[in-house]
Amino acid sequence: MEEKKELEKDIFFSYGHDEFSKYINKIKELLEEEDYSVIIDTDILGIGTDWEFKLEEAIKVSKKVLLFITPHSVRRTPNDQSYCFNEISLATRLKKEIIPIMLKYDTPPLSIIRLQHLDLEDIVKKDDQELLKEKVQEIIQVLKGEKKLEFEGNQARFEKELKPIEFKMDFALHSNIVGREWIVEEVNNWIKNHPDSKILHIEAEAGYGKSAISAYLANSLKDVVGIHFCKYDQPDSRNNPIIMIKTLAFHLGRHIDGFFQRIESVDIESIKNLNEFFEKIIFNPLVEIRPQENRNYILLIDAIDEAYQTNGDELLKLLNSPEFQNLPNYVKLIITSRPDPVIRQKLSSLNPIILTVDDERNKNDCKKLIDKNIPKDTQNKEAIAQAILEKSEANMLYIKVFFKEVKKGNIDITQFDKFPKELNGIYANFFDRLIKDEDEYNKMAPFLEVLVAYQDPIDEIILKDILHLNQREYNSIKRKIGLFLDITNQKVSIYHKSLADWLLLNDNISYQIDINSGKEKINKFFDGINKFNYKKEYINLIEFNNIFIDYIYKKYNNLNKFFNIINLLLGKNIYYRRECNPNCVNPPPILKSLCIF
């Protein structure tokens, strides 16, 4: 018991310095009386200390983080953003449990929108010290895991029915952004100068940091009430527009009073059509609930090009539909994408903000990021910074990967002439350094071919089986190229789409991969499933994604028997939705009649 008690110590307080600080200090005092050690910024910061470093270390050694929500602590303004956002992001990256405490109501940050809070607002209003002591006992129950904070009423119902995707790690990975205030100004100018415009399209090339910009906009603009990231390595975030609408609807319900009440009578499970879904759980309630004067409801969808590549133009058709165009002018949508001629054509009526690397404002942001990462005592610091900027061609992703390699000791920051040129150059430099000869790359190439061909994150067991690798061989490849892999919950994917694009370039003579070879290996594995040479648990690991459906369609004329056997093995229904696979032309009738949501 004593050992468990020790683990429950060390709580970090994330809060704003405002009129509610006296309650923060009282809660700290009451917790310390219960033998909890509480870390608070005033305890660790002193004159001349590196406060960012000190705060980061404090969160690292803490077991849990209490976030005290007040209008000041979660303020969202571009030039005065609360530092609590950075603390939440760091706590998320370090997998610390975050417990929100509401002192004075304000909307929780979008990054933790799925976390319920403990309400102390009435106690603060009444300034009731005895009741505060009782609430601290409730906080202790939560800290010990004896009490779980859960949604109640409509919020509980709609969390269950809408099944929103959680994006707190996306906010965490894109925290501590440098610069970009000018992009917020561009967005504010659009809102001010184009009041009748409903969609703002922000376009930027690979490596510009679009997802970081989206997270920054969500943390900087008070009017952003919902966000969805279409992620290259998370298929459910991009494969199905209805999942996207569900996530945005949940965010709206958490931000807007009365929203959930407006959709109480909607039978969500019975809706199968995207336009009907949008009309009933987005359009109708937003038309009825007007924001306060001079406010808007802004929704944000990041990387819409990722969604287009997997679900075709269904989402883009919705954006051009009467349902969307008839939304009130106080409802706005911001979308980001790479330069894509098809998306430009589909949204030709828009006047996009095109972000370019040559923009002096972008170059200044890159300079700030470079200066932040070069050690202060480095000789020739200005010359080194200029060399990195020139080699990077003002690409944010290049700079981030560059300094990762510097920290690993793979790049000598003092040798200007050896810096790799542009993002493709940093990939080539990485592979040149790690791969000894052609024979070694020939062993590694099939690994990359399967990852790129599979498109979605693939289970490690399945990946090893497709490539006939034992654990030692598999670990060896992971060690070699681990920097460029995303491995989450035993699923593997390429960490950024720009790497997949580089591997497929025709002029990438040394390291070009053959995606068709990857597809052939995957299809052979699927053949094995059809013959039932694999265990049931292997079948459970298969993602029923587009490449699997394509395989089935090409392989079989009658799918009834196949689906019946698979469903029997899995103990659940596998469905297919035509719109998820634009490459599958004229599918058999059985597929036309089935849907997945």
Side-chain angles (χ1 to χ4, degrees):
M1 291 297 293
E2 192 64 33
E3 183 180 354
K4 182 179 178 182
K5 190 175 183 181
E6 186 66 30
L7 289 172
E8 291 167 351
K9 289 188 176 183
D10 296 323
I11 308 157
F12 180 83
F13 276 16
S14 179
Y15 69 104
H17 290 264
D18 52 26
E19 68 269 28
F20 302 99
S21 294
K22 66 176 184 177
Y23 296 102
I24 308 290
N25 291 324
K26 183 62 179 178
I27 292 170
K28 176 179 183 287
E29 178 187 319
L30 292 170
L31 284 172
E32 287 175 337
E33 287 177 4
E34 297 287 342
D35 204 25
Y36 284 91
S37 58
V38 177
I39 305 176
I40 196 168
D41 59 357
T42 54
D43 293 339
I44 59 174
L45 302 182
I47 297 174
T49 60
D50 185 338
W51 62 274
E52 277 195 32
F53 174 78
K54 289 281 188 180
L55 282 173
E56 185 171 322
E57 288 300 306
I59 294 173
K60 281 182 180 178
V61 301
S62 300
K63 305 299 186 295
K64 299 177 191 290
V65 173
L66 295 190
L67 168 65
F68 292 91
I69 297 176
T70 66
H72 182 70
S73 72
V74 293
R75 64 192 182 279
R76 289 195 279 171
T77 52
N79 297 319
D80 184 30
Q81 190 182 101
S82 171
Y83 199 79
C84 291
F85 287 98
N86 290 335
E87 293 168 353
I88 295 166
S89 294
L90 179 58
T92 300
R93 287 203 305 274
L94 295 171
K95 296 181 170 55
K96 306 293 183 180
E97 182 183 354
I98 300 170
I99 302 168
I101 310 289
M102 189 72 70
L103 295 181
K104 182 174 175 57
Y105 183 79
D106 206 305
T107 307
L110 277 163
S111 58
I112 58 167
I113 202 70
R114 289 193 63 185
L115 295 181
Q116 178 59 299
H117 61 262
L118 188 63
D119 194 349
L120 272 63
E121 197 169 7
D122 283 344
I123 295 170
V124 172
K125 286 179 182 177
K126 297 173 183 176
D127 197 21
D128 190 328
Q129 296 297 315
E130 290 303 314
L131 200 53
L132 179 61
K133 291 179 181 179
E134 292 180 20
K135 273 294 182 181
V136 168
Q137 290 303 313
E138 195 173 343
I139 292 173
I140 290 171
Q141 287 181 308
V142 175
L143 290 170
K144 290 181 176 180
E146 296 171 357
K147 178 183 174 68
K148 188 175 181 181
L149 295 177
E150 296 181 322
F151 292 117
E152 299 175 353
N154 274 337
Q155 294 197 41
R157 172 197 162 187
F158 288 113
E159 183 188 35
K160 181 179 179 181
E161 293 186 11
L162 295 173
K163 301 179 179 67
I165 297 177
E166 188 171 57
F167 293 118
K168 67 178 182 180
M169 188 56 72
D170 298 275
F171 280 93
L173 294 174
H174 298 302
S175 62
N176 293 322
I177 191 169
V178 174
R180 299 315 199 206
E181 297 90 352
W182 56 276
I183 298 177
V184 178
E185 290 179 17
E186 293 256 8
V187 173
N188 280 327
N189 288 336
W190 168 73
I191 295 169
K192 179 181 178 181
N193 299 327
H194 303 278
D196 296 334
S197 181
K198 292 186 176 64
I199 304 176
L200 175 64
H201 180 196
I202 300 176
E203 185 182 280
E205 63 187 60
Y208 199 95
K210 292 183 293 297
S211 295
I213 290 168
S214 293
Y216 181 61
L217 288 173
N219 284 340
S220 300
L221 298 173
K222 185 76 173 177
D223 288 350
V224 175
V225 291
I227 187 168
H228 185 94
F229 293 88
C230 301
K231 299 175 62 180
Y232 172 71
D233 60 350
Q234 188 176 349
D236 60 341
S237 71
R238 56 181 167 82
N239 282 350
N240 192 336
I242 287 184
I243 292 177
M244 189 183 305
I245 297 299
K246 285 182 174 182
T247 299
L248 292 173
F250 183 78
H251 288 188
L252 287 166
R254 291 281 281 141
H255 274 86
I256 302 173
D257 286 340
F259 183 91
F260 283 143
Q261 285 85 340
R262 296 299 197 289
I263 60 174
E264 274 182 322
S265 61
V266 177
D267 183 0
I268 290 174
E269 297 300 321
S270 69
I271 306 175
K272 302 300 180 185
N273 175 274
L274 175 63
N275 284 50
E276 182 186 3
F277 218 107
F278 176 81
E279 180 183 357
K280 289 185 176 179
I281 71 166
I282 298 285
F283 181 87
N284 289 345
L286 287 182
V287 168
E288 295 175 12
I289 308 174
R290 295 187 64 86
Q292 296 174 353
E293 191 175 355
N294 299 323
R295 279 209 63 186
N296 295 289
Y297 296 143
I298 299 176
L299 301 172
L300 203 159
I301 301 175
D302 178 62
I304 199 170
D305 50 309
E306 295 289 353
Y308 176 77
Q309 290 173 13
T310 53
N311 65 53
D313 60 358
E314 187 181 16
L315 180 60
L316 298 181
K317 284 180 180 178
L318 173 64
L319 300 185
N320 285 314
S321 70
E323 290 91 345
F324 192 89
Q325 295 303 319
N326 289 331
L327 279 168
N329 287 335
Y330 54 76
V331 180
K332 311 285 186 184
L333 174 67
I334 300 173
I335 58 175
T336 72
S337 78
R338 289 184 180 194
D340 187 305
V342 177
I343 291 178
R344 281 182 179 175
Q345 181 186 5
K346 298 286 183 183
L347 302 175
S348 58
S349 61
L350 304 181
N351 184 23
I353 294 176
I354 299 176
L355 305 178
T356 64
V357 293
D358 294 329
D359 191 312
E360 286 301 319
R361 296 170 297 182
N362 176 62
K363 289 182 179 179
N364 288 334
D365 290 344
C366 289
K367 288 176 185 175
K368 291 176 186 176
L369 181 61
I370 292 167
D371 289 340
K372 183 178 179 179
N373 281 278
I374 298 177
K376 294 178 181 178
D377 57 352
T378 303
Q379 292 184 349
N380 299 322
K381 185 175 179 179
E382 289 187 12
I384 291 171
Q386 186 60 32
I388 297 171
L389 181 66
E390 290 175 1
K391 294 288 186 178
S392 72
E393 298 186 344
N395 183 290
M396 281 284 186
L397 181 61
Y398 174 102
I399 296 167
K400 290 177 181 178
V401 175
F402 178 90
F403 281 106
K404 280 185 180 179
E405 289 290 277
V406 169
K407 287 180 180 179
K408 287 176 175 285
N410 297 328
I411 293 178
D412 186 344
I413 202 170
T414 64
Q415 297 185 2
F416 311 166
D417 56 327
K418 295 184 179 179
F419 289 172
K421 182 175 173 57
E422 66 181 15
L423 189 58
N424 288 348
I426 208 166
Y427 291 148
N429 180 75
F430 178 84
F431 278 80
D432 285 343
R433 178 174 51 78
L434 287 184
I435 297 169
K436 298 174 184 176
D437 51 39
E438 187 174 346
D439 288 340
E440 185 174 27
Y441 186 63
N442 287 337
K443 294 177 183 178
M444 191 179 299
F447 186 95
L448 296 169
E449 288 166 348
V450 168
L451 286 183
V452 174
Y454 200 76
Q455 300 175 7
D456 298 336
I458 183 170
D459 192 278
E460 290 184 288
I461 294 174
I462 298 299
L463 180 58
K464 286 185 289 185
D465 211 64
I466 290 174
L467 295 167
H468 307 291
L469 296 173
N470 60 38
Q471 191 64 45
R472 179 181 54 79
E473 293 167 330
Y474 177 71
N475 290 342
S476 176
I477 294 175
K478 279 206 303 183
R479 282 193 297 270
K480 281 281 186 183
I481 59 172
L483 177 67
F484 293 126
L485 298 179
D486 185 341
I487 303 176
T488 305
N489 297 325
Q490 288 77 53
K491 290 183 182 293
V492 190
S493 60
I494 299 291
Y495 96 112
H496 197 274
K497 194 172 186 296
S498 60
L499 175 59
D501 293 342
W502 175 73
L503 290 167
L504 293 169
L505 284 176
N506 288 328
D507 58 1
N508 182 9
I509 299 172
S510 299
Y511 303 113
Q512 185 184 27
I513 61 171
D514 181 357
I515 193 170
N516 290 323
S517 175
K519 289 178 180 178
E520 287 175 9
K521 290 179 176 64
I522 294 167
N523 285 341
K524 284 182 181 178
F525 176 77
F526 290 156
D527 281 337
I529 294 178
N530 176 47
K531 295 172 185 175
F532 301 107
N533 293 332
Y534 294 91
K535 298 177 182 178
K536 175 183 173 182
E537 53 265 34
Y538 272 40
I539 297 175
N540 272 296
L541 297 173
I542 291 290
E543 296 286 346
F544 288 83
N545 60 1
N546 284 338
I547 193 168
F548 184 62
I549 295 296
D550 276 342
Y551 164 82
I552 296 171
Y553 174 56
K554 292 171 184 175
K555 194 83 175 176
Y556 302 96
N557 292 322
N558 188 334
L559 300 178
N560 283 292
K561 184 177 180 181
F562 183 88
F563 271 108
N564 286 340
I565 295 172
I566 292 293
N567 289 334
L568 181 65
L569 284 169
L570 293 177
K572 61 182 180 182
N573 292 323
I574 300 300
Y575 297 116
Y576 172 73
R577 186 167 61 82
R578 165 68 183 91
E579 293 84 350
C580 276
N581 188 8
N583 299 319
C584 183
V585 182
N586 297 322
I590 182 176
L591 294 185
K592 287 185 178 179
S593 65
L594 299 176
C595 291
I596 182 168
F597 296 111

